[in-house]
Amino acid sequence: DGGITQSPKYLFRKEGQNVTLSCEQNLNHDAMYWYRQDPGQGLRLIYYSQIVNDFQKGDIAEGYSVSREKKESFPLTVTSAQKNPTAFYLCASSITSGSTDTQYFGPGTRLTVL
Amino acid sequence: AQSVAQPEDQVNVAEGNPLTVKCTYSVSGNPYLFWYVQYPNRGLQFLLKYITGDNLVKGSYGFEAEFNKSQTSFHLKKPSALVSDSALYFCAVRPPRDTGTASKLTFGTGTRLQVTL
């Protein structure tokens, strides 16, 4: 987990509210990613960013938004349009977006919708 | 489309015995393969990866994995299991040729390893 921080660790949200999850890295990595983890489903890619001011949708982007204004930061907003937001959210980064680059993960944020 | 299968939801092994966690993949061309471990309420930790070369890859904490192209498998192994190895293990795959988009890993559903005394 070293070098990538996520906050908060636990987050509770009422239905209809937007919430923003923080992800910061001090590894000087160009590429950053957001994944969602649900029991028994592995990890699914929400959004990714190769460089500052650029990002692309992953496999399950609906109901989420991101920004990449700084190299070290890649916040994820879970909007009220996300039908089932309760999940464990993981941020990752890699040196570049190259094929062989290893992705390193943060400690995660557990989001619960009340 | 690429895919990863981890056929066992859970693997049980006694401490000191060898362990194997299975992974098979489907991808066009030669794959890049990864293993990660996750402890409860934590992020994923990188264990090892296969890019090219020797089919036996050695990684962290005494783990190794064997790439078998004919069987499209990348099983994780350890000669002697420890109770502290108990965790959730994920296999992941990437296709070899990237069009310039970010590294898009496809993960398996995970295998829970339980090591008992």
Side-chain angles (χ1 to χ4, degrees), chain A residues 56-71:
Chain A
Q56 288 83 39
K57 293 181 179 179
D59 300 319
I60 55 165
E62 185 176 354
Y64 300 97
S65 66
V66 294
S67 63
R68 186 89 186 274
E69 298 177 359
K70 298 186 297 182
K71 186 175 184 178

Side-chain angles (χ1 to χ4, degrees), chain B residues 58-73:
Chain B
K58 293 188 182 297
S60 306
Y61 313 119
F63 284 94
E64 58 188 28
E66 186 170 10
F67 172 65
N68 188 317
K69 187 174 182 179
S70 63
Q71 297 185 6
T72 62
S73 67

Side-chain angles (χ1 to χ4, degrees), chain B residues 14-89:
Chain B
E15 187 174 59
N17 284 357
L19 70 87
T20 298
V21 181
K22 296 180 180 178
C23 172
T24 59
Y25 65 89
S26 174
V27 68
S28 298
N30 295 319
Y32 299 141
L33 295 155
F34 301 78
W35 274 103
Y36 287 86
V37 60
Q38 184 180 36
Y39 297 96
N41 293 311
R42 301 289 299 276
L44 274 65
Q45 295 180 28
F46 170 71
L47 282 178
L48 52 81
K49 67 181 178 183
Y50 172 81
I51 303 301
T52 187
D54 194 347
N55 289 342
L56 185 64
V57 179
K58 293 188 182 297
S60 306
Y61 313 119
F63 284 94
E64 58 188 28
E66 186 170 10
F67 172 65
N68 188 317
K69 187 174 182 179
S70 63
Q71 297 185 6
T72 62
S73 67
F74 189 56
H75 301 332
L76 182 70
K77 300 181 180 183
K78 188 174 182 181
S80 179
L82 298 172
V83 172
S84 57
D85 292 329
S86 299
L88 187 59
Y89 290 80

Side-chain angles (χ1 to χ4, degrees), chain A:
Chain A
D1 297 347
I4 303 175
T5 58
Q6 291 186 242
S7 61
K9 186 175 178 65
Y10 298 96
L11 186 58
F12 298 90
R13 187 194 96 174
K14 294 181 179 179
E15 285 192 25
Q17 288 181 335
N18 293 353
V19 289
T20 297
L21 283 59
S22 170
C23 177
E24 303 277 333
Q25 54 98 0
N26 62 3
L27 302 170
N28 200 32
H29 286 175
D30 283 326
M32 297 186 74
Y33 317 82
W34 274 105
Y35 291 89
R36 171 182 171 136
Q37 183 179 14
D38 296 283
Q41 294 192 42
L43 277 71
R44 293 180 289 168
L45 183 65
I46 304 172
Y47 268 97
Y48 61 95
S49 168
Q50 299 178 80
I51 55 173
V52 175
N53 293 322
D54 180 70
F55 49 83
Q56 288 83 39
K57 293 181 179 179
D59 300 319
I60 55 165
E62 185 176 354
Y64 300 97
S65 66
V66 294
S67 63
R68 186 89 186 274
E69 298 177 359
K70 298 186 297 182
K71 186 175 184 178
E72 58 271 22
S73 178
F74 191 41
L76 173 74
T77 296
V78 184
T79 74
S80 57
Q82 169 50 233
K83 301 297 183 187
N84 184 21
T86 295
F88 192 48
Y89 290 86
L90 289 162
C91 177
S93 70
S94 58
I95 295 175
T96 71
S97 58
S99 302
T100 62
D101 289 341
T102 299
Q103 291 184 23
Y104 296 94
F105 286 79
T109 292
R110 186 166 298 281
L111 173 63
T112 302
V113 174
L114 302 174

Side-chain angles (χ1 to χ4, degrees), chain B residues 102-116:
Chain B
S103 172
K104 293 182 70 175
L105 286 174
T106 297
F107 286 85
T109 53
T111 297
R112 187 164 302 281
L113 174 66
Q114 186 69 46
V115 182
T116 54

